[in-house]
Amino acid sequence: MQEQGGAIPRSLFVFSLLYGGLAVLAGVLGTKLASLGHWPLLGDLAVESGIFAFLLLVVISSAVAELFGQGMANRLVRYGFIPLIVSMVLLTLVIHVVPPAPFWSDQDAFARLLGQGARMQFAGLISYGTSQTLNVAIFSRIAGGQGKFLLLRAWIASMLSQIVDTVLFITISFYGVVDQSGQAMPIVQIMEGQIISKLVLSTIMVPPFIYLFVRLGRRLDRPA
């Protein structure tokens, strides 16, 4: 991510560090299902907690697109695969290869919460790369891109990318999988609930956060 003159803008440096950390954290947080409470017309909503970190990834990639262009944002998304893959490999090694200490009795709980099968890991990589790239593309192209309708572009791009992310992840993870009774997993119903919950969160989180991150980026890049 080298800019002209060899110097990386402060905002790009800070956002890149935060992006990599959140990419890893999203998978860890995803082990908890969070309640969003009861909503009129929508009913009780629940979502995996990784969405909070994932929506911040959407915001950061959009902010980078706004400040430095679509090409730089796409590079950020591609580099995001590095911490994701490294964290997956390390978790797999720690869970399945490194033995627990004799006096530590939480190995099963640790493995149950943080261990994902290869299929879900693959689903996570595909859905991450596709949805984030789509978010950057939509955000950059609506209304001609930079400077126009910032909040609206961020909101529309985040909602469409979250729908794609949910469809890809759930389909790849659970298509053909049966439960303990031998019934196929109700992936359509799972998608519906997740999509509604994510759209609600996108509406609440993305517009204010994109505004804050773009302002923060411009402030960081002011001459000292």
Side-chain angles (χ1 to χ4, degrees):
M1 293 187 181
Q2 194 168 2
E3 292 290 291
Q4 58 251 40
I8 300 176
R10 278 174 290 186
S11 65
L12 184 58
F13 180 73
V14 171
F15 288 170
S16 298
L17 291 176
L18 185 57
Y19 190 93
L22 287 170
V24 174
L25 187 60
V28 177
L29 293 177
T31 59
K32 176 180 178 178
L33 291 177
S35 171
L36 300 182
H38 184 83
W39 292 71
L41 302 179
L42 300 178
D44 295 320
L45 298 182
V47 68
E48 49 90 12
S49 297
I51 186 61
F52 297 106
F54 199 87
L55 284 178
L56 288 177
L57 292 179
V58 169
V59 168
I60 293 172
S61 62
S62 297
V64 169
E66 181 72 10
L67 296 170
F68 303 103
Q70 183 178 354
M72 183 62 72
N74 282 332
R75 290 167 67 185
L76 180 69
V77 171
R78 290 197 297 270
Y79 289 141
F81 279 104
I82 297 173
L84 266 177
I85 293 171
V86 170
S87 66
M88 288 176 179
V89 171
L90 285 176
L91 278 172
T92 299
L93 288 175
V94 169
I95 291 171
H96 299 291
V97 177
V98 179
F103 53 83
W104 192 65
S105 59
D106 294 325
Q107 171 68 14
D108 290 341
F110 181 81
R112 185 175 65 254
L113 288 175
L114 297 180
Q116 286 187 334
R119 182 168 173 173
M120 292 189 70
Q121 290 180 340
F122 176 72
L125 291 174
I126 294 298
S127 59
Y128 158 79
T130 304
S131 63
Q132 285 288 79
T133 302
L134 179 65
N135 172 74
V136 170
I138 296 172
F139 175 82
S140 299
R141 295 177 185 178
I142 292 178
Q146 291 170 296
K148 300 178 181 179
F149 308 109
L150 173 65
L151 304 187
L152 180 63
R153 286 187 287 128
W155 177 62
I156 293 174
S158 68
M159 292 211 301
L160 293 177
S161 64
Q162 286 307 298
I163 292 172
V164 171
D165 175 82
T166 303
V167 171
L168 285 175
F169 181 80
I170 292 178
T171 300
I172 296 172
S173 296
F174 300 115
Y175 182 78
V177 176
V178 297
D179 59 23
Q180 293 181 342
S181 66
Q183 298 294 316
M185 293 287 287
I187 60 175
V188 174
Q189 290 92 324
I190 296 173
M191 285 182 194
E192 288 175 351
Q194 288 291 297
I195 287 172
I196 292 171
S197 299
K198 290 180 179 181
L199 294 185
V200 169
L201 279 178
S202 292
T203 301
I204 294 172
M205 287 182 60
V206 171
F209 273 99
I210 187 65
Y211 175 79
L212 291 173
F213 270 78
V214 169
R215 287 201 63 180
L216 174 63
R218 289 174 176 155
R219 186 177 184 88
L220 287 172
D221 291 339
R222 288 178 187 171

